[in-house]
Amino acid sequence: MARPRKPLLSTDRIVETARALVDAEGLAAVSTRRLAAELGVSGPSLYNHFRTKDEILEAVADSVSAQVDLSMFEDGRDWRTALHDWAVSYRAALRDHPNIVPVLARGPGRRPAALRLADAVYGAMVDAGWPPAQATSIGALMRYFIMGSALGSFAGGFVDDASAYDPADYPHLGQAHLLAEQQEKIDERAFETGLTALLDGLARQYEQVRGVS
């Protein structure tokens, strides 16, 4: 009887396996030896697709960027609505893959999906009437805000032990031990609050820009 064939090794399969490993165990867990074992292949066979571990991590990062919806920049939404909806989609992708954020935070480099993302945001802002320099600043500002929100949970950073918050030392943290159990709700609300404030500020700047032009 013929032996069952192993799935063919491909770039996509390597990236998917590496992404799952990063999601489960973090960046430090990724090595060519570990990936080869997970894929059931010999280590050298990976080098037919990627020269280094860093190239694999770059590809994983770009696979996450590719999950971000960009349709809002093409379907007629005004610039503010488009930025809001894109930020929500971007954060959702990072929330699902938080361990890859440090790689994404380095910038797009040569990653195709990340460059398409940057191009879409910049192009939409310029098309909406923002001067090129300010369009660049908006792209940077949004990335700082979204990446920062994905680096950790504010609510999850508080322990659920009431004794940690002695009122003699922390008179205003009497309910802090309850934050962790409402982590998702609090973090989502904080993100929306910050995003709204950010967009409100940009809207005021936009009125000034349009008034001058």
Side-chain angles (χ1 to χ4, degrees):
M1 180 179 295
R3 297 169 63 185
R5 295 180 60 190
K6 292 182 179 179
L8 291 175
L9 189 61
S10 66
T11 298
D12 287 346
R13 187 168 167 239
I14 294 170
V15 171
E16 289 170 5
T17 302
R19 186 173 60 229
L21 193 56
V22 171
D23 288 345
E25 301 182 33
L27 294 172
V30 178
S31 68
T32 52
R33 178 179 296 182
R34 177 72 184 277
L35 273 177
E38 294 285 334
L39 290 161
V41 299
S42 63
S45 63
L46 297 178
Y47 296 115
N48 293 324
H49 301 272
F50 296 98
R51 292 175 297 177
T52 65
K53 182 185 83 169
D54 284 344
E55 282 192 1
I56 295 172
L57 291 176
E58 287 286 312
V60 170
D62 212 38
S63 74
V64 173
S65 293
Q67 296 176 14
V68 181
D69 184 14
L70 299 177
S71 65
M72 65 284 297
F73 297 119
E74 303 170 352
D75 62 10
R77 274 173 263 192
D78 64 90
W79 70 266
R80 176 179 174 143
T81 302
L83 273 185
H84 175 277
D85 295 348
W86 167 71
V88 170
S89 177
Y90 200 172
R91 180 172 181 266
L94 300 188
R95 186 184 56 217
D96 290 341
H97 308 282
N99 291 335
I100 200 64
V101 172
V103 179
L104 286 163
R106 299 172 191 163
R110 297 177 181 273
R111 299 192 299 268
L115 288 170
R116 283 193 294 272
L117 187 155
D119 181 74
V121 175
Y122 176 80
M125 295 306 101
V126 171
D127 289 347
W130 285 97
Q134 285 179 278
T136 298
S137 296
I138 290 170
L141 169 64
M142 296 298 291
R143 192 167 71 87
Y144 296 151
F145 176 69
I146 298 165
M147 293 274 184
S149 74
L151 285 174
S153 165
F154 171 81
F158 291 84
V159 299
D160 60 359
D161 179 3
S163 67
Y165 309 102
D166 189 327
D169 296 320
Y170 316 109
H172 305 296
L173 296 181
Q175 301 297 307
H177 64 287
L178 302 176
L179 291 174
E181 67 183 36
Q182 301 183 58
Q183 175 178 331
E184 184 173 350
K185 180 189 298 185
I186 292 170
D187 290 345
E188 288 290 336
R189 189 169 62 219
F191 179 78
E192 279 292 339
T193 298
L195 182 57
T196 298
L198 188 157
L199 293 173
D200 283 347
L202 287 177
R204 287 193 291 272
Q205 290 186 32
Y206 185 71
E207 290 175 0
Q208 295 172 358
V209 167
R210 300 300 287 173
V212 170
S213 59

